[in-house]
Amino acid sequence: MTKVLGLFGFGEVARGFYQTLQTNSHLDVRIKSVCIKNREKLRDLDPAVFTTEASELLNDPEIDIIVELTDDAEASYEIVKTALTAGKGVISANKKMIAEHIDEVATWHEQFEAPFLYEAAVAGSIPILHNLEQFFKQQEISSIRAILNGSTNYILSKMREEGLSFEDALQLAQDKGFAESDPTLDISGKDALYKLIILTYHAFGDIITDLQQVRLEAITNMEDHFYEMAKSQGLKIKSIATATRKNGKTSIKVQPELINSNDDLFEIEYENNAIVIDASYSGKQTFIGKGAGSLPTGSAVINDLSLLLSGFKYKKHPRKSILKSA
C-alpha cells in the first residue's frame, strides 16, 4: 500500500530529498503536500502542492509520515512532537532541535509507537546512526573523533589549497550551498557540537545538556599566520569533534586541531565528513562521505524513509557494558 508523505520545508535538503525520491523506484510513497513559509517564492513544483498551514499536514489522516526538513528549531520541535503524538512516523534533519531536546527525544523513542529517525541531522550521506544502532550495538565504544561540518571543512580546504581569505572561502561555500546564508552555527563550531551530542547519545547512551561543560572553539579564533605556518610544515588545521568515554565518564569537545599526515582525518577535504569509531572488537573504523549538499543529505533522508517503512526505529536504552569481566 502506498504511504503518503507530508513534507515540511523546501530548501536545499528538501529539494535533494524530493529529487532523489523522483528517481527511486523501490519506495512505494507519494508526497501529498509541502508546507512552506513563503508562498510567493518561485519553486519548480505545482503550486497546488504547497501550503503555509502546518495543521493541514499534521491533522490529515491520509498522511502517514512527516518529513521535517526546516531550519527552524522551535517550529521543528512542535511539528515533530505533534506528528508523533498523532501516530505519524517522522523523519527530521534538524540537528539543533534534536540536540537541544536530546533528553526528551530519548523518551520519544520509548513513549511513541511511531518511529522518529534523523540520520540526515548528523553527517550528511554517512549512515553513522544506523551503524551505531546495528553493527556497533554489540561492542563498547571508547571514542569518536570526527569532522562533522562540511561547510567549515570546505572553507579550511579552500584557504589552504588556493590561498583564499576566510571571507572569500566562506562566500564560495555559500554559493555552492554548503553553508547557510547565516553561517554562524557552522563557523562557531555549534553545528558540529549539535551533531556530536546526537552521536554521543547513540554511541554511549549519554545525554549531554549542559553545554557550559563542553569545550567549544571556533575556527574564526585562528589567525591567518597559523594556517600558513601549518602548511609550511606539512601540517593541517582541522575543526575536529571528539567524544571519549573513560571510567564511566564521557567528555566531548569541538575545536581546531593541528594534525599531521598520520592522522586518520588528515586527507578529509572540502565538504566531506569523516567519523572514526574506536570500538572494543572491531578497533578503529573510519566512515567517509559528503557531509553537505542537497543530494548527499537528501540521500540520508531517503535511507531513513526506507528504514522507517521496513519497521526500523531507534530505542531508548542507555548503552550498558556488554563485555564480561575477566
Side-chain angles (χ1 to χ4, degrees):
M1 179 184 296
T2 301
K3 293 294 183 180
V4 181
L5 311 183
L7 176 61
F8 280 86
F10 205 65
E12 194 75 16
V13 175
R15 290 196 300 273
F17 165 66
Y18 182 84
Q19 187 175 341
T20 54
L21 193 60
Q22 301 316 298
T23 57
N24 189 299
S25 60
H26 301 290
L27 299 177
D28 188 12
V29 299
R30 70 177 178 89
I31 296 176
K32 180 178 181 180
S33 188
V34 181
C35 185
I36 41 86
K37 290 181 180 179
N38 181 8
R39 246 190 196 284
E40 304 307 314
K41 187 175 179 179
L42 292 177
R43 298 176 175 89
D44 54 356
L45 278 184
D46 181 354
V49 79
F50 292 106
T51 179
T52 57
E53 297 296 325
S55 59
E56 290 186 18
L57 280 65
L58 296 172
N59 296 334
D60 187 340
E62 188 182 9
I63 291 178
D64 306 292
I65 300 166
I66 293 293
V67 181
E68 186 279 310
L69 302 176
T70 73
D71 59 1
D72 185 332
E74 291 185 11
S76 170
Y77 174 81
E78 295 300 331
I79 291 165
V80 171
K81 189 169 185 178
T82 301
L84 289 172
T85 302
K88 301 180 189 297
V90 181
I91 296 166
S92 177
N94 199 309
K95 81 279 294 184
K96 185 175 188 290
M97 183 280 287
I98 297 165
E100 290 184 340
H101 296 276
I102 192 66
D103 51 346
E104 189 171 0
V105 168
T107 68
W108 290 349
H109 299 315
E110 182 178 56
Q111 177 183 356
F112 298 113
E113 183 65 29
F116 175 39
L117 305 182
Y118 38 82
E119 186 74 75
V122 178
S125 62
I126 303 174
I128 192 61
L129 294 186
H130 188 216
N131 273 283
L132 287 172
E133 289 291 320
Q134 296 290 306
F135 179 80
F136 289 106
K137 213 58 177 181
Q138 305 308 317
Q139 303 188 58
E140 284 194 344
I141 297 171
S142 58
S143 70
I144 298 172
R145 193 163 175 272
I147 291 173
L148 293 175
N149 186 269
S151 307
T152 300
N153 205 48
Y154 181 89
I155 291 168
L156 293 176
S157 292
K158 284 292 183 179
M159 291 175 67
R160 182 177 53 257
E161 299 299 325
E162 300 181 20
L164 298 184
S165 68
F166 175 83
E167 291 75 16
D168 288 344
L170 170 59
Q171 184 61 58
L172 192 57
Q174 291 172 319
D175 293 343
K176 289 185 172 292
F178 299 146
E180 300 290 341
S181 55
D182 179 0
T184 305
L185 285 181
D186 292 324
I187 62 178
S188 69
K190 274 197 171 181
D191 177 85
L193 177 59
Y194 291 143
K195 295 170 180 177
L196 187 60
I197 288 171
I198 298 170
L199 281 175
T200 299
Y201 168 67
H202 284 269
F204 306 122
D206 290 326
I207 295 172
I208 295 176
T209 57
D210 185 3
L211 300 190
Q212 300 302 315
Q213 302 300 313
V214 176
R215 183 170 182 179
L216 175 64
E217 188 176 340
I219 60 169
T220 49
N221 291 345
M222 305 290 290
E223 297 180 16
D224 289 345
H225 72 270
F226 289 155
Y227 298 102
E228 296 167 5
M229 177 197 69
K231 186 174 181 179
S232 69
Q233 297 180 11
L235 305 174
K236 294 180 181 180
I237 295 173
K238 299 280 188 182
S239 180
I240 296 177
T242 307
T244 56
R245 186 161 179 81
K246 189 174 183 179
N247 298 326
K249 293 184 178 181
T250 301
S251 61
I252 71 173
K253 63 181 179 178
V254 176
Q255 63 182 32
E257 294 186 16
L258 190 64
I259 62 175
N260 62 31
S261 59
N262 294 322
D263 195 289
D264 296 309
L265 302 177
F266 188 79
E267 298 294 345
I268 308 305
E269 300 291 0
Y270 301 104
E271 71 272 25
N272 289 311
N273 280 188
I275 304 167
V276 183
I277 304 286
D278 195 353
S280 53
Y281 300 141
S282 57
K284 282 188 179 181
Q285 293 197 46
T286 304
F287 298 80
I288 302 171
K290 291 188 181 298
S294 179
L295 292 178
T297 310
S299 72
V301 182
I302 282 285
N303 189 56
D304 268 351
L305 179 57
S306 176
L307 289 172
L308 189 152
L309 293 172
S310 72
F312 176 82
K313 65 178 294 186
Y314 303 141
K315 296 178 181 178
K316 181 185 184 299
H317 51 84
R319 291 176 66 107
K320 298 178 180 178
S321 175
I322 51 87
L323 299 183
K324 297 179 180 178
S325 57

